[in-house]
Amino acid sequence: MNLILDPERWSPLTLVTTWQALGRGLVLTLQVAAGAALLSLVFGALLALLRLSRVGAVHYPAVLLIELVRALPVLFIIFATYFTALHYKLNLPIWVASAAGLTIYTSAVVAEIVRAGITSIEVGQVEAARALGLSYAAMMRFVILPQALHRMVPPLVSQLITLLKDTSLASIIGLTELLTQGHNIYTYYGDPLQILITVAVIYFVINFTLSRLSRRLETARRQREPRIAIAPRETEAAA
Amino acid sequence: MRAVQDNLPLLLAGLRVTLLLAVASLALALAVGTFVGVVRVLPLPIIPGFGAAYVEFFRNTPLLVQMFIWFFGLPGVGISLPPFLAAVVALGIYTSAFVAEVVRAGIQAIGRGQLDAARSLGLTYLQTMRFVVLPQAFAITVPPLGNLAIALAKNTSIASAIAVGDLLYQGEVVNAQTFATYQVFTTVALLYLVITIPMSFGVNYLERRLVAYRR
């Protein structure tokens, strides 16, 4: 019978080897996501500062780069990175190519989140800092950034969830992450649905926990600092 | 550029499939997402909870995994979808979870006072909806829905993983045949930009107009 609840069809999930394989996949997924997340924070913050610069020669290239990357599909960027490396006979390990593609895309999105956070600080704050005689660096360090960072946390977490989901795309260029491990299991046992649902549930548990955590932080922040929220465009919806 | 010129018809066919995917799945996402969004604000027990579970499941799992479930998983329970249809369902259902959140936020943003004011002016329920609630909800939801449409247009590229002949898929085919990586991927990028950049200008325009309208 085609019953989805037939215990026989879930039997691969009773094997230790299945969970070992899924575990190895999950570890790789988390490693690639963590690497890409850290690099994207650094490059994203840098790009945001370049875009906020008043010097045209710095500002316009940053705008062009950010908007160009954000307008392209993340899977396209992963492919383009991977095939370009192949074309120039760069023997990048798959995980490096995957993390690089994900970092390029995520940096552009993070740049917009950071920029939105900084520009959301009221002009009055800047004026007050100036009136107190703070230097630009001191103003950034003690006035702007502490407030902006708080506001950036929810959109950054939501982008982290997107990034975790996007690591599954690296399975297409052969990264043996969670989805690939699931794929290998069901091509062996021949019953995709049960394994795919298991993989989906693993992603769900991680991402749902992250989003709950972020919401809790946000509620705590709202109680201290009501009414202000930044909502950078599109971050919630990327792949 | 010969590699691109010779294969341009193939890439343009891919562009056409990408556009078809985007339009069909956007229609599905708007229909299902609006329904789920309304369900989430119904003043009933339990039922809104199902809406919440739907939203949380579909937006917290990767689109590629969902697409695999629709395409490789469902045959296990006797339902086989052709690749294009599986891609439309996957893209549409995934995006509907995000649409539902936008619709819910739009409805909840209309203050209680607006309804009370409309009633005290003697407006009927339909007049309240037509002249008070819907114009405001529309102004609130259109820009985020536009951003979702852009994200959806980009996400259609994931259908290439189940061999739907979309733009990215055809780009890979041409690249594999010609090894002209640089030219092929630049062309594919330009064709994506032809779709996403006008959409992004459109959303920005609407955003400015609707902000002005709300004042």
Side-chain angles (χ1 to χ4, degrees):
Chain A
M1 245 317 273
N2 275 332
L3 279 180
I4 188 175
L5 292 177
D6 181 356
E8 190 61 23
R9 301 188 58 180
W10 294 85
S11 60
L13 291 176
T14 60
L15 301 173
V16 180
T17 49
T18 298
W19 291 101
Q20 281 172 338
L22 290 178
R24 279 198 303 277
L26 179 60
V27 168
L28 192 55
T29 288
L30 295 176
Q31 282 172 339
V32 169
L38 288 177
L39 289 175
S40 303
L41 273 181
V42 175
F43 291 132
L46 204 67
L47 274 174
L49 290 180
L50 295 181
R51 186 172 184 165
L52 285 170
S53 162
R54 296 219 181 90
V55 182
V58 175
H59 169 78
Y60 290 109
V63 173
L64 187 68
L65 185 63
I66 292 170
E67 295 302 334
L68 187 71
V69 170
R70 271 170 19 111
L72 290 170
V74 60
L75 181 57
F76 169 85
I77 291 173
I78 293 173
F79 273 149
T81 312
Y82 175 67
F83 284 115
T84 306
L86 276 188
H87 190 73
Y88 290 106
K89 308 259 177 354
L90 284 173
N91 235 335
L92 293 187
I94 295 284
W95 71 268
V96 175
S98 310
L102 289 165
T103 301
I104 293 172
Y105 181 78
T106 309
S107 298
V109 181
V110 168
E112 285 303 275
I113 295 174
V114 172
R115 188 175 70 104
I118 291 176
T119 51
S120 76
I121 304 299
E122 296 74 6
V123 190
Q125 298 279 330
V126 179
E127 288 166 349
R130 289 259 166 80
L132 287 170
L134 295 188
S135 68
Y136 178 82
M139 175 180 79
M140 274 290 171
R141 165 76 187 77
F142 296 108
V143 181
I144 310 273
L145 286 182
Q147 301 182 70
L149 282 176
H150 273 298
R151 297 181 193 180
M152 292 173 206
V153 168
L156 283 178
V157 174
S158 118
Q159 191 55 36
L160 177 63
I161 292 173
T162 303
L163 173 61
L164 268 164
K165 292 191 291 177
D166 285 350
T167 54
S168 66
L169 298 177
S171 68
I172 302 175
I173 59 168
L175 184 74
T176 50
E177 43 65 78
L178 185 54
L179 179 56
T180 307
Q181 293 287 2
H183 175 85
N184 293 344
I185 294 164
Y186 69 68
T187 39
Y188 185 77
Y189 292 104
D191 219 352
L193 186 58
Q194 288 69 24
I195 302 296
L196 284 171
I197 289 177
T198 309
V199 169
V201 168
I202 295 174
Y203 275 110
F204 174 80
V205 169
I206 298 170
N207 289 333
F208 185 68
T209 312
L210 276 174
S211 74
R212 273 299 136 107
L213 213 63
S214 156
R215 196 172 303 172
R216 207 186 263 182
L217 282 174
E218 176 64 5
T219 327
R221 183 182 71 78
R222 284 242 173 97
Q223 280 162 1
R224 292 194 306 272
E225 182 193 359
R227 145 188 98 74
I228 305 150
I230 57 166
R233 302 168 39 205
E234 220 182 304
T235 49
E236 278 254 20
Chain B
M1 283 314 276
R2 277 301 299 274
V4 168
Q5 275 168 21
D6 293 349
N7 291 294
L8 202 57
L10 201 56
L11 294 176
L12 290 178
L15 180 66
R16 192 171 151 271
V17 173
T18 288
L19 288 171
L20 283 175
L21 272 175
V23 170
S25 44
L26 182 62
L28 181 65
L30 287 177
V32 177
T34 305
F35 175 75
V36 176
V38 170
V39 164
R40 287 206 64 185
V41 294
L42 289 179
L44 296 169
I46 304 167
I47 295 172
F50 285 112
Y54 176 94
V55 168
E56 295 300 346
F57 181 78
F58 284 107
R59 66 173 188 176
N60 280 315
T61 51
L63 173 56
L64 183 60
V65 174
Q66 292 179 30
M67 203 175 277
F68 278 8
I69 291 179
W70 294 109
F71 187 63
F72 295 118
L74 282 197
V77 288
I79 304 167
S80 289
L81 302 178
F84 183 84
L85 189 58
V88 168
V89 173
L91 285 161
I93 297 296
Y94 176 80
T95 310
S96 74
F98 295 93
V99 171
E101 281 303 273
V102 170
V103 169
R104 181 180 67 99
I107 295 173
Q108 287 177 338
I110 308 299
R112 178 84 229 167
Q114 295 281 327
L115 301 180
D116 293 341
R119 196 164 298 165
S120 67
L121 285 172
L123 296 190
T124 66
Y125 177 77
L126 282 181
Q127 284 172 325
T128 308
M129 278 292 163
R130 165 74 185 80
F131 296 109
V132 180
V133 177
L134 290 182
Q136 296 184 66
F138 186 73
I140 296 166
T141 53
V142 162
L145 288 181
N147 287 327
L148 286 180
I150 296 173
L152 174 58
K154 296 193 295 174
N155 282 340
T156 55
S157 60
I158 294 174
S160 65
I162 57 170
V164 175
D166 73 313
L167 177 54
L168 186 56
Y169 181 84
Q170 302 296 11
E172 281 175 74
V173 169
V174 175
N175 179 50
Q177 285 168 356
T178 63
F179 298 109
T181 306
Y182 183 71
Q183 292 90 322
V184 171
F185 277 92
T186 307
T187 310
V188 171
L190 288 175
L191 291 176
Y192 272 114
L193 294 178
V194 164
I195 304 175
T196 53
I197 289 183
M199 286 178 85
S200 157
F201 276 113
V203 171
N204 281 338
Y205 173 77
L206 281 174
E207 211 161 17
R208 280 198 309 275
R209 286 297 302 270
L210 292 169
V211 165
Y213 169 83
R214 259 183 289 175
R215 282 202 187 112

